[in-house]
Amino acid sequence: MIDRFNLPGLFREHAAMAGVTLCVMLIAAGPGWTQNAPPTLGVQSPAQQPLPPEPAPQQAEPPAAAPADRENPGLINEIGKLFEKSKSILPPIQSPSETLGNLAKPATMVSGRAACVVAANGAPDCKAGADRLCQSKGFTEGKSLDTDASEKCSPIVFLPGHKRGPNDCKTENFVTRALCQ
């Protein structure tokens, strides 16, 4: 009769035996997976006869370079291709010294008000506004930190009874604070 209290121990014994059996089967099946050339009957033409072995050189030479790897169409190879393609898409990674060098450049925050120009797609381009704000304070370039927007309307909009049209008002954007270098 099976001891109810020793079931985990019996399970471990059966699992270990199954693991050993699986390993033995894999080892035994290993050589069977390779394909060998068909056996010959021992008859060789004069061109196929083996050459006598050359004497071993005195010094060991370094092994020749391995032939170029042929492409393996597996999952790992495809992931490798993906990483190679991503190198051209992503910006280059800076070394820690370059990153610290960029952070160590003196920068000053300035306040003011400079208009953002409207880009070709209709969005505000506040880089130019930040540059103008920084140049007015004696710096060469800047990055916008804060922006402000206001609506500029035609005076006719404020008349009683006037129905507002799509071109009566426009939004203007301004840089109010910038980090200058």
Side-chain angles (χ1 to χ4, degrees):
M1 182 169 160
I2 298 177
D3 184 14
R4 297 186 260 193
F5 300 107
N6 196 18
L7 282 179
L10 286 175
F11 178 73
R12 270 187 258 136
E13 288 177 18
H14 286 287
M17 186 56 106
V20 168
T21 305
L22 181 63
C23 289
V24 169
M25 289 174 58
L26 288 175
I27 290 171
W33 288 341
T34 60
Q35 285 187 340
N36 296 330
T40 59
L41 300 175
V43 180
Q44 296 178 348
S45 67
Q48 293 179 343
Q49 289 181 357
L51 296 176
E54 295 182 22
Q58 297 297 333
Q59 280 188 338
E61 295 180 14
D69 292 334
R70 61 183 177 88
E71 189 167 322
N72 184 5
L75 176 66
I76 303 297
N77 188 39
E78 294 300 318
I79 292 173
K81 287 180 184 177
L82 180 66
F83 282 125
E84 289 297 321
K85 288 179 184 176
S86 69
K87 287 180 184 176
S88 64
I89 296 171
L90 298 174
I93 298 174
Q94 296 179 340
S95 69
S97 63
E98 290 174 332
T99 303
L100 288 176
N102 290 341
L103 292 175
K105 290 180 182 176
T108 305
M109 185 178 65
V110 297
S111 296
R113 190 169 173 92
C116 299
V117 295
V118 178
N121 62 358
D125 180 15
C126 290
K127 171 67 174 142
D131 287 344
R132 270 197 310 277
L133 180 61
C134 289
Q135 288 167 0
S136 70
K137 305 289 184 180
F139 295 96
T140 56
E141 67 174 344
K143 294 181 181 179
S144 65
L145 293 176
D146 284 333
T147 59
D148 186 23
S150 65
E151 194 173 49
K152 185 176 183 181
C153 296
S154 168
I156 198 166
V157 172
F158 300 109
L159 293 175
H162 177 72
K163 187 170 183 172
R164 187 172 174 173
N167 295 328
D168 288 343
C169 298
K170 67 177 188 173
T171 303
E172 293 181 339
N173 293 291
F174 300 93
V175 174
T176 55
R177 282 194 313 167
L179 192 63
C180 302
Q181 292 183 346

